[in-house]
């Protein structure tokens, strides 16, 4: 019986060019982003220029984490305690966490079988809030044309959580460029790896000036380059609280070469996704979420659905795959495990039942696809999952009474 022996959490090494840049920063001793020599451009400021250019955004701010980016954007958008903020029911804990940390209240929106926000349910709930924190969870991108039209009609400001969509686009427009603000993560398990870190993009001068001040710029905001002009700060500089969450030059130095390499890496991720998806296609008892032609995703993970499966059957599948070295996560588990939790687990937020999301999550399986996996590894993983899904599904089917046989 075939077995996989790779590690699902092993990322690639930091590229040599990034290590060399990090060494230069350390040798300089100037790790703080505002610790510059006269005329010197810090790595953090240069990173912001690079990412703004790469995404086509007017402004960019580098911060301490993706979660910090979300909170900073919400604060800048004027979210205050007691405000309701719409967000995806299917996302990870830092998203409702960023809302709740401001004393605001997440309002969860249903999930489709293609793992994106349900736009009909969003329309039904739109009157409850002023802001939508849209999570492109696991890299699945909803119909952004339709979403933006809906939000414009309802006066909803959109903040995009692009933690899983760096380098991705909808119909050619990058994620993060649709809403008023786009928030990215540079944490180890994302598309670039600085250990921790976040990047925020926006075209809105007032929002960006506020976010720069919030992030802890003191009165040094003129050292930022992908930033609005000093006039944008005039009315905000003394009234905006400092909520320190800056990025340092060391992380910025590590990130810049990785960002330059992102298109090549994105293609490698999608090659891996393509091999696993092709290997799983048509497996009885399993469905892969549809990926519309307009969705330019960058897959660092893969999800599949086991529609109608009972908890025991899902757990049997996870155990059988684990025994063959394939590590799968289940969004239907009642208790949170490692990074995986679901909206009912976020007890700090009200969570009225969302039957459609419950149905989807009950059969939702999640798998990491690190770039350390070869295409042969991916084909092997698909063969193992296919065999085990088939075995459990057929076993469950034969355990049922024959059709029409029971009254
Ligand atoms: C969907 C989603 N949004 C936001 C974040 C927050 O990113 P960070 O870990 O950089 O705070 C994560 C991190 O896991 C995430 O998965």
């Amino acid at each position: 019986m075939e077995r996989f022996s790779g590690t699902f959490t092993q990322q690639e090494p930091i590229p040599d060019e990034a290590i060399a840049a990090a060494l230069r920063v350390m040798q300089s001793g100037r790790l703080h982003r505002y610790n510059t020599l006269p005329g010197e451009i810090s790595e953090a400021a240069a990173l912001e220029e690079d990412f703004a250019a790469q995404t086509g955004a007017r402004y960019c701010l580098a911060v301490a984490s993706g979660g910090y980016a979300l909170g900073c954007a919400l604060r800048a958008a004027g979210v205050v305690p007691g405000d309701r903020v719409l967000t995806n029911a299917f996302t990870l804990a830092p998203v409702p966490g960023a809302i709740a940390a401001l004393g605001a209240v997440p309002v969860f929106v249903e999930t489709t079988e293609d793992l994106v926000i349900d736009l009909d349910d969003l329309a039904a709930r739109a009157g409850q809030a002023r802001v939508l924190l849209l999570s492109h969870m696991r890299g699945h991108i909803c119909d952004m044309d339709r979403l933006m039209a809906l939000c414009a009609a309802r006066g909803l400001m959109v903040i995009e959580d692009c933690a899983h969509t760096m380098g991705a686009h909808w119909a050619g427009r990058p994620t993060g460029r649709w809403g008023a603000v786009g928030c990215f993560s540079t944490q180890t398990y994302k598309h670039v790896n600085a250990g921790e870190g976040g990047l925020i993009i926006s075209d809105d001068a007032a929002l960006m000036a506020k976010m720069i001040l919030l992030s802890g710029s003191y009165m040094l905001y003129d050292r930022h380059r992908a930033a609005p002009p000093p006039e944008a700060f005039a009315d905000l500089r003394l009234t905006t609280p400092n909520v320190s969450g800056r990025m340092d030059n060391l992380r910025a130095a590590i990130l810049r070469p990785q960002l330059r390499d992102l298109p090549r890496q994105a293609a490698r991720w999608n090659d891996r996704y393509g091999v696993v998806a092709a290997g799983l296609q048509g497996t009885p008892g399993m469905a892969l979420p549809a990926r519309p032609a307009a969705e330019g995703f960058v897959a660092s993970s893969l999800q599949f659905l086991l529609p109608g499966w009972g908890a025991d059957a899902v757990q049997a599948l996870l155990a059988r795959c684990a025994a063959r070295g394939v590590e799968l996560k289940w969004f239907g588990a009642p208790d949170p495990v490692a990074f995986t939790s679901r909206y009912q687990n976020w007890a700090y937020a009200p969570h009225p039942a969302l039957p459609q999301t419950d149905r989807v999550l009950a059969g939702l399986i999640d798998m990491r696809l690190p770039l350390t996996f070869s295409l042969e590894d991916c084909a092997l993983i698909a063969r193992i999952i296919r065999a085990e899904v088939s075995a459990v599904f057929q076993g469950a089917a034969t355990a049922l009474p024959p059709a029409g046989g029971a009254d």
Side-chain angles (χ1 to χ4, degrees), residues 65-67 70 91-92 94-95 135 137 161 163-164 185 187 190 196-197:
S65 73
L70 299 176
T91 184
L92 282 185
V95 178
S135 185
M137 175 63 173
D161 165 29
H164 302 169
S185 168
Q187 179 244 68
K190 306 301 193 297
E196 302 286 356

Side-chain angles (χ1 to χ4, degrees), residues 59-353:
Y59 312 122
C60 177
L61 172 66
V63 293
S65 73
Y68 182 89
L70 299 176
C72 187
L74 290 167
R75 238 182 248 276
V79 172
V80 294
D83 279 1
R84 294 162 76 81
V85 176
L86 290 155
T87 195
N88 306 56
F90 172 49
T91 184
L92 282 185
V95 178
I99 298 169
L102 285 175
V105 182
V107 177
F108 296 115
V109 182
E110 288 273 28
T111 314
T112 73
E113 296 198 338
D114 292 329
L115 306 182
V116 296
I117 195 164
D118 184 314
L119 296 182
D120 295 328
D121 191 51
L122 176 63
R125 295 174 199 267
Q128 298 185 38
R130 205 172 48 76
V131 175
L132 165 66
L133 180 52
L134 173 70
S135 185
H136 302 297
M137 175 63 173
R138 288 292 185 257
H140 296 272
I141 307 169
C142 71
D143 181 337
M144 290 303 293
D145 292 297
R146 221 189 121 199
L147 176 124
M148 291 310 296
L150 193 164
C151 291
R154 301 305 189 90
L156 275 176
M157 178 194 278
V158 179
I159 296 173
E160 294 178 67
D161 165 29
C162 305
H164 302 169
T165 56
M166 188 177 276
H169 62 86
W170 177 267
R173 186 174 176 84
T175 61
R177 298 285 297 128
W178 292 81
V181 184
C183 302
F184 297 79
S185 168
T186 66
Q187 179 244 68
T188 288
Y189 297 113
K190 306 301 193 297
H191 294 108
V192 288
N193 178 7
E196 302 286 356
L199 290 163
I200 309 178
I201 55 173
S202 182
D203 283 352
D204 185 308
L207 280 176
M208 185 49 83
K210 221 176 201 180
M211 292 190 286
I212 290 172
L213 290 164
L214 282 167
S215 77
S217 64
Y218 304 95
M219 295 301 136
L220 300 166
Y221 47 79
D222 62 352
R223 308 258 184 106
H224 287 246
R225 297 169 62 85
E231 308 85 84
F233 295 83
D235 292 339
L236 298 168
R237 59 201 280 274
L238 303 180
T239 53
T240 306
N242 181 323
V243 188
S244 283
R246 293 172 301 271
M247 181 180 281
D248 58 274
N249 287 331
L250 192 51
R251 284 192 172 81
I254 291 171
L255 287 170
R256 292 181 65 208
Q258 293 185 58
L259 278 181
R260 286 197 285 277
D261 203 25
L262 184 61
R264 187 182 72 89
Q265 297 291 69
R268 293 179 63 219
W269 256 301
N270 287 353
D271 287 346
R272 282 151 184 75
Y273 184 93
V275 170
V276 180
L280 296 180
Q281 206 71 51
T283 307
M286 170 198 280
L288 288 167
R291 313 265 9 196
E295 188 197 24
F297 62 90
V298 182
S300 56
S301 65
L302 179 140
Q303 292 70 42
F304 61 85
L305 291 156
L306 302 169
W309 284 42
D312 288 352
V314 175
Q315 263 154 349
L317 173 69
L318 298 190
R320 292 173 71 120
C321 287
R324 295 179 68 180
V326 174
E327 198 183 301
L328 303 177
K329 301 280 188 291
W330 178 37
F331 273 96
D335 290 318
V337 180
F339 289 108
T340 309
S341 59
R342 47 188 283 158
Y343 74 95
Q344 290 98 335
N345 303 137
W346 307 323
Y348 49 80
H351 43 275

